[in-house]
Amino acid sequence: MVARVTKGDSTQLLPDVDVTLFILIVFFTLSDNFIIFPMLNGYKIIDADSHVIEPLNMWSQYLEPEFKDFAPSRDMKIKGESITYKISPQVRDRGNQQMLQAHPNAYTRGYDVESHVQEMVGMGIDLAFVYPTYGLWLFAIDTLPSEVIGALIRAYNTWLYEEFCSYDRDRLKGVGAINLHAPKEMVKELHRIAKYDGQAVFLRPNPVKGRLLSDPVYEPFWTECEALGIAVGIHEGTHSRLTTIGAERFNTRFALHACSHPMEQMMALLALIEGGVLERHPNLKVGFLESGCGWLPYWLWRLDEEYKNLYWEVKDCVKIKPSEYFRRQCFISIEPSEPYLAEVIAHIGVDNLIFGSDYPHMDHQPDVVKKVIELEGKLSHKIVKKIVWDNPSFFYSF
């Protein structure tokens, strides 16, 4: 392992640093204005999908006065009603155990921002684009009034940019939240995120208030994202109170998690293609996160086959093959453990693949960066570099 240590204008390489010693150096020097970049096999790493764990008191602190009654309680309820759906106490307990075992320092500190940066450095991550955790559920409660969702989103975005990311803006890049429940508010909040120098926003792939992502009411939002050069990350969240594939058929996390992430992403990609969003906005960049990439070659093949036979039905909105839209302007995060990455690359190329750690969620693995670097043995140094740095840099306009 090699570390690059920067202070002021000077840079020093520390070769063959023992990992434990290196992490201790980080802990003691972060407060001394050092910037320390671990270099795993010479790679710089962008984590395209990391998560904050929002402190519970943040909501009451940042919500506007008229909405403070909607701050979630410690047991994650709003006015007595759970913000989640079909999540058992056993899953909660096991998830907590796994998160504690993976990153005990961060867990015991409540995942505060300092521990977040420490864990990044320990894993070898140079910078991270951070998505919410509780927000994935809170912003997805279809039965809450849209103005309440908007207040929760404004509170989250303010905290994210003004407090959390301000700790280390070189390393922490906030991905802003947008209120799909209130289409007329979307562009206004997008501009507020842009004033914070936000480079990306996230949306859920699920229908919201019965609307797909291609609904005409969202067209001003897509237009403005393209004009501002703001990337859109599509991120699913299991156990949410939105219409979700599998949620009415199954009850276990085993089944719900297996269905929700890849299948909702498939539907979102289809909506953006079939509804003409990608056709009308060729410079829009869209990323599909935390669902693996193994489903993509099949789905693009299937959509291309349907287009071959039924192009006449969608010709006003879909003017090239669906796979060409994806290659032109879409990105997808990989899982290092997927056994067919070489075959995926053979079908769709490497320019659209990015990497996300999913830190610190229950299915995150603390050695995930090491595993993605080890793909060099199956792929190549050039391909791995594109996945962990070049492609996410382009997607997020970093």
Side-chain angles (χ1 to χ4, degrees):
M1 184 174 185
V2 179
R4 185 172 75 250
V5 183
T6 303
K7 187 174 185 181
D9 296 326
S10 63
T11 299
Q12 181 180 3
L13 292 179
L14 303 179
D16 300 320
V17 177
D18 176 78
V19 173
T20 304
L21 177 60
F22 174 69
I23 294 174
L24 288 174
I25 291 171
V26 172
F27 287 359
F28 283 112
T29 58
L30 277 174
S31 60
D32 194 29
N33 298 320
F34 277 87
I35 301 174
I36 301 181
F37 293 100
M39 297 177 65
L40 299 180
N41 292 8
Y43 290 98
K44 292 188 294 182
I45 309 291
I46 291 176
D47 184 350
D49 178 23
S50 176
H51 292 269
V52 298
I53 303 288
E54 302 92 316
L56 288 176
N57 64 353
M58 178 273 285
W59 304 102
S60 58
Q61 179 182 349
Y62 282 91
L63 275 169
E64 295 140 5
E66 61 269 36
F67 294 105
K68 286 188 183 293
D69 287 347
F70 290 93
S73 61
R74 294 192 64 82
D75 57 354
M76 297 316 295
K77 294 181 179 180
I78 293 180
K79 296 191 172 184
E81 189 169 359
S82 175
I83 70 169
T84 59
Y85 180 66
K86 288 188 176 180
I87 182 168
S88 68
Q90 293 83 359
V91 167
R92 292 182 190 273
D93 291 344
R94 182 60 64 90
N96 275 315
Q97 292 171 18
Q98 291 175 199
M99 290 169 72
L100 171 61
Q101 292 168 1
H103 297 279
N105 171 63
Y107 185 94
T108 56
R109 294 179 55 162
Y111 297 99
D112 65 358
V113 64
E114 185 176 18
S115 67
H116 192 112
V117 172
Q118 290 170 353
E119 300 301 325
M120 284 173 58
V121 173
M123 288 187 287
I125 294 168
D126 290 277
L127 63 110
F129 285 84
V130 288
Y131 289 73
T133 293
Y134 295 125
L136 286 171
W137 293 318
L138 282 169
F139 311 151
I141 303 175
D142 227 4
T143 54
L144 273 180
S146 60
E147 60 269 23
V148 174
I149 301 289
L152 290 165
I153 282 175
R154 290 190 298 275
Y156 172 78
N157 286 338
T158 301
W159 169 81
L160 177 68
Y161 292 109
E162 294 186 5
E163 185 172 332
F164 189 86
C165 291
S166 68
Y167 177 83
D168 191 339
R169 297 194 185 279
D170 290 330
R171 296 183 188 273
L172 299 170
K173 307 295 181 181
V175 178
I178 292 290
N179 187 6
L180 283 165
H181 303 260
K184 292 182 180 179
E185 294 181 8
M186 293 170 69
V187 170
K188 181 179 179 181
E189 191 64 15
L190 186 68
H191 286 164
R192 196 167 78 95
I193 290 166
K195 288 180 180 178
Y196 285 121
D197 293 325
Q199 295 153 293
V201 296
F202 86 92
L203 302 177
R204 292 291 299 262
N206 322 67
V208 172
K209 300 286 192 289
R211 297 185 293 262
L212 303 181
L213 292 177
S214 55
D215 193 286
V217 297
Y218 298 141
E219 187 62 17
F221 166 76
W222 296 119
T223 299
E224 203 64 11
C225 284
E226 184 180 34
L228 294 173
I230 291 180
V232 179
I234 309 295
H235 201 301
E236 173 61 341
T238 310
H239 306 295
S240 73
R241 290 174 54 190
L242 278 177
T243 299
T244 306
I245 294 174
E248 300 307 319
R249 300 187 188 188
F250 304 107
N251 296 304
T252 63
R253 178 174 172 83
F254 167 80
L256 296 173
H257 194 253
C259 291
S260 63
H261 282 63
M263 295 181 186
E264 284 295 344
Q265 297 286 38
M266 293 168 79
M267 297 300 102
L269 175 58
L270 175 56
L272 293 174
I273 293 172
E274 187 259 1
V277 175
L278 301 185
E279 171 61 34
R280 291 189 296 273
H281 305 286
N283 295 312
L284 177 70
K285 291 184 287 188
V286 181
F288 298 87
L289 303 163
E290 205 178 314
S291 60
C293 65
W295 56 269
L296 184 64
Y298 164 75
W299 197 228
L300 293 179
W301 167 81
R302 179 67 186 232
L303 296 180
D304 282 354
E305 287 294 303
E306 298 294 344
Y307 185 66
K308 185 189 305 180
N309 296 321
L310 296 165
Y311 68 92
W312 53 268
E313 187 180 26
V314 294
K315 66 181 187 308
D316 292 339
C317 292
V318 186
K319 299 184 179 181
I320 58 177
K321 291 194 300 183
S323 60
E324 293 179 27
Y325 285 115
F326 187 91
R327 290 187 178 91
R328 184 178 76 186
Q329 62 195 105
C330 297
F331 298 80
I332 190 166
S333 61
I334 69 156
E335 301 285 346
S337 60
E338 294 184 86
Y340 28 68
L341 285 173
E343 288 77 12
V344 171
I345 291 170
H347 284 284
I348 69 167
V350 71
D351 292 340
N352 309 80
L353 304 181
I354 59 180
F355 162 72
S357 75
D358 195 33
Y359 170 87
H361 289 172
M362 65 180 293
D363 42 357
H364 155 80
Q365 300 296 318
D367 62 349
V368 66
V369 177
K370 179 175 178 288
K371 288 180 177 177
V372 77
I373 295 305
E374 289 174 349
L375 290 174
E376 182 179 322
K378 297 180 181 179
L379 305 174
S380 71
H381 178 90
K382 181 179 179 180
I383 287 176
V384 172
K385 178 176 178 291
K386 287 182 73 68
I387 292 171
V388 301
W389 187 266
D390 296 345
N391 296 345
S393 293
F394 179 69
F395 172 57
Y396 285 117
S397 300
F398 172 72

